[in-house]
């Protein structure tokens, strides 16, 4: 009877997740998140754990989730502990994607597959092992969508009418490829639309709302009405920038544009209310489910693709 029940449970896992087998129905999974305080990654990890436990049948006690506290040394210790504990697979949102090579080498030596999420390692690092992959959205697409949203406004982003789109760029972590691509491709989209652009201000805000507000306030103080657009690499910084815009007596969509990425619920409501010009949906549900499925494939011994992409979605009023 126990064997029959076990077989039924295994079949349910196969039906729900499409990847697990009787031998891999209850793997030990180590999940490392760069920082629990991040709004988007909170949604991501909560959905990841929910999907693994409720939809894929992995017991909650088999899943360990660690907060890297935005400290790579601390996160490295956590990953080393996963390896020492002989987890079956690791799902890693690195503090610094540049640390991927050393992580891959250690995990590969231990025979532990690694699913990188949200922060993309360079391809040369992924090439180091056949049991690693990256699950995420192509940040070039998110930057392009930001630029297109501005180019599609009535005045094509030139809200002060001087013939140039004068912009402020509030970046995430400049070592993060998502920050690099969102910064580059948002402006490329404007240039590809035939618009003249002028960078007034660009600083790193490290994905943080408070820093986003501080940087936007500084830019608004320095450049005032010369600013047409404030681009933010994520919604948290856009929320901070919005407060700075209000404090400066400016009005979004009347005398300045404001863009974010992630489509947090709060920002989605603000876009609908006209308080933020637009954002880009970073699909935490699709990405977390894809990451979980890839992890269970790896545990089952199936060959991984090197990349699993989940599309962004443009979000405007």
């Amino acid at each position: 009877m126990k064997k029959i029940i076990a077989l039924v449970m295994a079949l349910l896992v196969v039906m729900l997740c499409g990847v697990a087998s009787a031998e891999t129905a209850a793997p030990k999974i180590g999940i490392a998140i760069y920082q629990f305080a991040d709004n988007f990654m909170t949604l991501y990890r909560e959905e990841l754990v929910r999907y693994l436990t409720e939809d894929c049948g992995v017991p909650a006690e088999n899943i360990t989730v660690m907060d890297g506290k935005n400290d790579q040394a601390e996160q490295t210790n956590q990953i080393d502990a996963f390896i020492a504990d002989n987890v079956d697979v690791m799902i890693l949102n690195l503090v610094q994607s540049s640390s991927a090579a050393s992580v891959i080498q250690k995990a590969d030596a231990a025979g532990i597959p690694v699913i990188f999420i949200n922060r993309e390692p360079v391809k040369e690092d992924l090439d180091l092992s056949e049991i690693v992959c990256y699950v995420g959205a192509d940040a070039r697409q998110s930057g392009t969508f930001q630029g297109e949203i501005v180019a599609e406004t009535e005045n094509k982003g030139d809200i002060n009418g001087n013939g140039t789109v004068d912009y402020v760029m509030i970046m995430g972590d400049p070592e993060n490829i998502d920050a690099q691509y969102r910064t580059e491709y948002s402006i490329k989209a404007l240039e590809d639309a035939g618009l003249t652009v002028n960078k007034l201000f660009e600083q790193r805000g490290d994905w943080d709302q408070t820093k986003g507000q501080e940087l936007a306030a500084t830019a608004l103080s320095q450049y005032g009405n010369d600013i047409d657009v404030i681009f933010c690499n994520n919604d948290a910084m856009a929320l901070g920038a919005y407060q700075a815009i209000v404090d400066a007596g400016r009005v979004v969509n009347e005398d300045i544009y404001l863009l974010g990425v992630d489509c947090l619920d709060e920002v989605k409501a603000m876009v609908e209310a006209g308080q933020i010009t637009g954002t880009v949906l970073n699909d935490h549900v699709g990405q977390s489910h894809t990451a979980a499925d890839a992890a269970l494939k790896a545990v089952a011994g199936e060959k991984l693709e090197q990349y699993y992409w989940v599309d962004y979605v443009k979000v405007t009023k």
Side-chain angles (χ1 to χ4, degrees):
M1 185 65 181
K2 287 182 179 179
K3 289 183 178 180
I4 293 173
I5 293 173
L7 180 59
V8 170
M9 291 300 295
L11 288 172
L12 284 173
V13 171
V14 171
M15 291 170 61
L16 290 168
C17 294
V19 294
S21 67
E23 290 79 19
T24 62
K28 289 173 62 177
I29 302 175
I31 301 172
I33 303 299
Y34 96 97
Q35 181 173 244
F36 279 9
D38 183 288
N39 308 44
F40 175 74
M41 287 312 301
T42 296
L43 295 173
Y44 192 121
R45 65 181 165 86
E46 289 177 350
E47 179 60 22
L48 176 60
V49 172
R50 187 210 65 76
Y51 180 71
L52 282 168
T53 54
E54 296 181 14
D55 292 4
C56 296
V58 179
E61 60 269 22
N62 282 35
I63 302 171
T64 303
V65 187
M66 302 299 295
D67 180 4
K69 300 179 182 177
N70 206 25
D71 181 334
Q72 187 58 61
E74 178 159 349
Q75 188 181 66
T76 297
N77 290 335
Q78 295 167 354
I79 293 169
D80 288 345
F82 286 155
I83 294 172
D85 194 35
N86 199 31
V87 298
D88 294 297
V89 63
M90 294 189 290
I91 301 175
L92 305 180
N93 167 222
L94 295 177
V95 174
Q96 296 174 349
S97 56
S98 56
S99 68
S102 62
V103 171
I104 290 169
Q105 288 165 348
K106 287 187 285 189
D108 190 67
I112 299 173
V114 178
I115 315 301
F116 290 105
I117 61 172
N118 186 251
R119 296 186 168 191
E120 181 185 348
V122 296
K123 188 178 187 304
E124 291 77 7
D125 291 345
L126 294 178
D127 287 340
L128 293 171
S129 173
E130 293 185 353
I131 55 173
V132 303
C133 69
Y134 174 70
V135 175
D138 186 344
R140 288 168 289 200
Q141 186 184 51
S142 61
T144 297
F145 283 172
Q146 280 192 317
E148 287 178 355
I149 290 171
V150 172
E152 290 162 2
T153 60
E154 184 178 1
N155 48 35
K156 299 184 184 301
D158 181 20
I159 206 162
N160 63 19
N162 69 349
T164 301
V165 181
D166 299 292
Y167 71 92
V168 167
M169 181 68 66
I170 301 179
M171 297 182 67
D173 175 0
E175 290 188 3
N176 184 304
I177 198 165
D178 282 11
Q180 296 168 17
Y181 281 157
R182 289 173 186 174
T183 297
E184 176 185 356
Y185 279 81
S186 57
I187 306 309
K188 184 178 184 298
L190 294 175
E191 293 172 335
D192 288 348
L195 304 173
T196 301
V197 298
N198 176 42
K199 178 172 67 179
L200 298 173
F201 180 96
E202 180 178 290
Q203 293 290 336
R204 62 182 293 168
D206 292 321
W207 315 109
D208 182 76
Q209 182 170 336
T210 299
K211 288 183 180 179
Q213 181 173 347
E214 292 170 353
L215 291 173
T218 298
L220 287 160
S221 175
Q222 290 180 1
Y223 297 101
N225 293 331
D226 289 342
I227 301 172
D228 290 309
V229 184
I230 297 180
F231 288 100
C232 297
N233 282 173
N234 77 340
D235 277 353
M237 295 187 297
L239 287 169
Y242 173 76
Q243 188 57 55
I245 288 169
V246 171
D247 292 344
R250 305 285 293 276
V251 180
V252 173
N253 293 333
E254 291 187 16
D255 60 19
I256 194 169
Y257 294 121
L258 175 62
L259 286 299
V261 175
D262 283 338
C263 197
L264 300 176
D265 286 346
E266 181 178 359
V267 171
K268 179 183 175 183
M270 293 173 72
V271 170
E272 291 173 350
Q275 297 170 307
I276 289 179
T277 307
T279 185
V280 182
L281 173 64
N282 195 1
D283 182 6
H284 72 276
V285 174
Q287 290 181 59
S288 59
H289 292 192
T290 303
D293 290 345
L296 295 177
K297 281 183 180 180
V299 171
E302 295 186 31
K303 182 176 174 57
L304 294 173
E305 300 294 329
Q306 195 168 62
Y307 293 95
Y308 295 89
W309 297 113
V310 178
D311 280 339
Y312 286 97
V313 179
K314 194 185 304 182
V315 180
T316 64
K317 187 174 182 179

